[in-house]
Amino acid sequence: MAVNEDVRAELDFLVALRRDLHAHPELGFEEERTSQIVAEHLTETGMKVHRGLGGTGVVGTLTVGNGPRTIGLRADMDALAMPETADRPYKSTVPGKMHACGHDGHTTLLLGAARELARTRNFSGTVHFIFQPAEEGRGGAKRMVEDGLFELFPCDAVYGLHNMPGLDTDEMAVVAGPQLASSDSWQVRFRGVGTHGAKPHLGKDPVTAGGHFLASLQTIVGRVVDLLQPAVVSACSVQAGDPNALNVIPDFIDIAGTARAYTPHVRDQLEEEIGRLANGVAAMFGIEAEYRFIRRIPPVVNDADATARALAAAKAVCGDKVRTDFPPSTAGDDFAFFSQGVPGAYVWLGNGPAVDGALHHNTAYDFNDGAISTGVKFWTTLVEQELAA
Ligand SMILES: [Zn+2]
Ligand SMILES: [Zn+2]
């Protein structure tokens, strides 16, 4: 009876913590309040706490026994710059910021696991609880690695977890191989010679060149990249001229977008081929092309051994509600910077049905508190199995 009451009290504590984090979202590298709360709770358990990696990053280290193996568990802490539209008692108190990706939940799960493992100490080895800033496109993981994460806290394996609507809250997906795509940006400027809209022959029209470029862009994925290899190229921004000056052909047009791939080879191909197309179109029209490809995040590719270990933990927690055939996502996660140098596995935890159709990054999205016990149990089981006493 007392045990059940303790479990209930701990769950109530974690739900309250998760909702408090939800109500106080902070953007990447600005997680002052969140990282303070994380550091306080970790310190309370008696473990060593390191702050400042990547600015607001926090690492808690728990060593039990003399087991030689060391693993890292990652949670992201940041929110998104968007308004929360759904009404809920713990709605965002900060205009224009919200936890629309469930990182409030990830932070809570890892804190819950840290508290539990520090109490039960049923393993032998070392766990680094890694709370990273700025996962949402601001480069938090990269900053932590550059600041010496793995020199200070060497890991034999590293694990990440993300909530996934559509899977039940007692369901997980653990799959070897590619999980998330690389996420890179590209920019093209076609530079012509601006002129009177009625006398195009006296200038060099960059807008028409831009149209040809856009019309040909999908031939990279359709005609160049191996058709059995997933790839995405999207133009997401086009800017030229001025709607108030409809008799002016502008000097240049700027086109920019994203490129996604699951292998280094396809990633290289996209970089090269977008540039080739831009230069080719420019040559066709006798104008100049300026091209930049900005590598942001590599793909997340699960290591076979780390995946097998994560799968064993997921099966121990979820029984046969573990999916091993879950499709990869064309989104990115900078967990890739952690799992680049160290064998890693990135797993999905069910968030229940998408409420009112709200998926990640929707203004009504919310982490499902019903997933807290599954998530905490996954982390603690992984540690107890990975670092078996
Ligand atoms: Zn996100
Ligand atoms: Zn996310």
Side-chain angles (χ1 to χ4, degrees), residues 76 78 80 100-103 135-136 162 331-333 360-361:
D76 37 18
D78 58 323
L80 286 150
C101 206
H103 299 183
E135 188 282 321
E136 297 287 1
H162 207 290
D333 190 309
H360 295 136
H361 295 204

Coordinates of all heavy atoms in Angstrom, one line a residue, residues 76 78 80 100-103 135-136 162 331-333 360-361, ligand 1:
D76 N 15.7 17.2 -24.4 CA 15.8 18.6 -24.9 C 14.8 19.5 -24.1 O 13.8 19.0 -23.6 CB 15.5 18.8 -26.4 CG 14.5 17.8 -26.9 OD1 13.7 17.3 -26.1 OD2 14.4 17.6 -28.1
D78 N 13.9 23.0 -24.8 CA 13.4 24.3 -25.4 C 12.0 24.2 -26.0 O 11.5 23.2 -26.3 CB 14.4 24.8 -26.5 CG 14.6 23.7 -27.6 OD1 14.6 22.5 -27.3 OD2 14.7 24.1 -28.8
L80 N 9.1 26.6 -28.6 CA 9.0 27.2 -30.0 C 8.5 28.6 -29.9 O 7.6 28.9 -29.0 CB 8.2 26.3 -30.9 CG 8.8 25.0 -31.3 CD1 7.8 23.9 -31.6 CD2 9.7 25.2 -32.6
A100 N 5.3 23.3 -28.1 CA 4.5 22.6 -29.1 C 5.2 21.4 -29.6 O 4.7 20.8 -30.6 CB 4.2 23.6 -30.3
C101 N 6.3 21.0 -29.0 CA 7.0 19.7 -29.5 C 7.1 18.7 -28.4 O 7.7 17.7 -28.5 CB 8.3 20.1 -30.1 SG 8.9 18.9 -31.3
G102 N 6.6 19.1 -27.2 CA 6.6 18.2 -26.1 C 7.9 18.1 -25.3 O 8.1 17.1 -24.6
H103 N 8.8 19.0 -25.5 CA 10.1 19.0 -24.8 C 9.9 19.2 -23.3 O 10.8 18.8 -22.5 CB 11.1 20.0 -25.4 CG 11.4 19.7 -26.9 ND1 12.3 20.5 -27.6 CD2 10.9 18.8 -27.7 CE1 12.4 20.0 -28.8 NE2 11.5 19.1 -28.9
E135 N 17.1 22.6 -29.2 CA 17.0 21.6 -30.2 C 16.4 22.1 -31.4 O 16.7 21.7 -32.5 CB 16.3 20.4 -29.6 CG 16.3 19.2 -30.5 CD 15.3 19.3 -31.7 OE1 14.2 19.8 -31.5 OE2 15.7 18.9 -32.8
E136 N 15.4 23.1 -31.3 CA 14.6 23.5 -32.4 C 15.4 24.4 -33.3 O 15.1 25.6 -33.4 CB 13.3 24.2 -31.9 CG 12.4 23.3 -31.1 CD 11.7 22.3 -31.9 OE1 11.9 22.3 -33.2 OE2 10.9 21.5 -31.3
H162 N 11.8 10.8 -28.3 CA 10.8 11.8 -28.7 C 9.4 11.3 -28.6 O 9.2 10.1 -29.0 CB 11.1 12.4 -30.1 CG 10.7 13.8 -30.2 ND1 9.3 14.1 -30.3 CD2 11.4 14.9 -30.3 CE1 9.2 15.5 -30.4 NE2 10.5 16.0 -30.4
A331 N 11.6 15.0 -40.7 CA 12.1 16.0 -39.8 C 13.5 15.7 -39.4 O 14.0 14.7 -39.7 CB 11.1 16.1 -38.6
G332 N 14.1 16.7 -38.7 CA 15.5 16.5 -38.2 C 15.5 16.6 -36.7 O 14.6 17.1 -36.1
D333 N 16.6 16.1 -36.0 CA 16.8 16.3 -34.6 C 18.3 16.4 -34.4 O 19.0 15.6 -34.9 CB 16.2 15.2 -33.8 CG 16.1 15.5 -32.3 OD1 17.2 15.9 -31.7 OD2 15.1 15.3 -31.6
H360 N 2.9 17.7 -33.8 CA 4.1 18.5 -33.4 C 4.0 19.9 -34.1 O 3.8 19.9 -35.3 CB 5.4 17.8 -33.8 CG 5.6 16.5 -33.1 ND1 6.1 15.4 -33.7 CD2 5.5 16.2 -31.7 CE1 6.2 14.4 -32.8 NE2 5.8 14.8 -31.6
H361 N 4.4 20.9 -33.4 CA 4.5 22.3 -33.9 C 3.2 22.9 -34.2 O 3.1 23.9 -34.9 CB 5.5 22.3 -35.0 CG 6.9 22.0 -34.7 ND1 8.0 22.4 -35.4 CD2 7.4 21.3 -33.6 CE1 9.1 22.0 -34.8 NE2 8.8 21.3 -33.7
Ligands
ZN1 ZN 10.1 20.2 -32.7

